[in-house]
Amino acid sequence: MSDLVARTGRHQQRYEAGCRLIAGCIPFKYRSSDSSDDASSEKILEVLMINSQSGPGLLFPKGGWENDETVEEAAVREAVEEAGVRGDLMGFLGIYQFKSKTHQDEFSPEGLCKAAIFALLVKEELDSWPEQSTRTRSWLSIPEAVERCRHPWMREALADGFSKWHAENMISAGEECPDQK
């Protein structure tokens, strides 16, 4: 059993102008292709998604941003709680607005949410984590992730936010973009 405990409840969560503030991330890593020659081995980009607890499709880790943490701390916390990964935030991908059907409350009666999403380079996959009994992890290529993503706003964060950020940062670092197939 994990020593980590997921935060629950809404009493510490942040709201702004009737919107629940959310923090999340797109966890990613590179794996080497299965080439026998290590020198010519390609880096393959993969993103981590988790199952939804309320229906088909996959999600990126995200959740309420609480009063006692920065938005970056909240994004990192959600990655640990929901996906059981730790890593480094590498970039801010943007703010994505959506309407939650399952999270309407007195502070956001219409379920409006604003999500700050970051790119998280995964350094460690935990053997146990707070939501491991209800979440499964899947490492996917970008096209696979786009196809299996449950919510349109997450698809947009991946296709527009993450993919553009990744391409710009690979170019600025003087590296070629790893194969995204």
Side-chain angles (χ1 to χ4, degrees), residues 23 68-78 89:
D68 64 344
E69 61 191 351
T70 65
V71 69
E72 294 86 359
E73 289 169 339
V76 168
R77 175 180 51 78
E78 290 295 338
L89 290 183

Side-chain angles (χ1 to χ4, degrees), residues 61 88 96-97:
D88 298 330
Y96 298 88
Q97 296 191 22

Side-chain angles (χ1 to χ4, degrees), residues 9-84:
R10 296 274 169 95
H11 59 283
Q12 289 294 322
Q13 294 195 1
R14 294 178 188 233
Y15 291 82
E16 177 183 275
C19 288
R20 181 173 173 237
L21 301 182
I22 304 291
C25 63
I26 297 180
F28 72 100
K29 71 176 182 180
Y30 301 101
R31 71 171 171 83
S32 296
S33 65
D34 296 331
S35 173
S36 58
D37 180 7
D38 285 340
S40 66
S41 178
E42 286 185 63
K43 287 184 191 176
I44 297 172
L45 173 65
E46 294 181 316
V47 294
L48 179 67
M49 298 188 82
I50 54 177
N51 65 300
S52 169
Q53 294 177 324
S54 60
L58 297 178
L59 310 169
F60 294 109
K62 57 107 181 105
W65 172 17
E66 299 195 356
N67 292 325
D68 64 344
E69 61 191 351
T70 65
V71 69
E72 294 86 359
E73 289 169 339
V76 168
R77 175 180 51 78
E78 290 295 338
V80 171
E81 287 179 3
E82 293 188 351

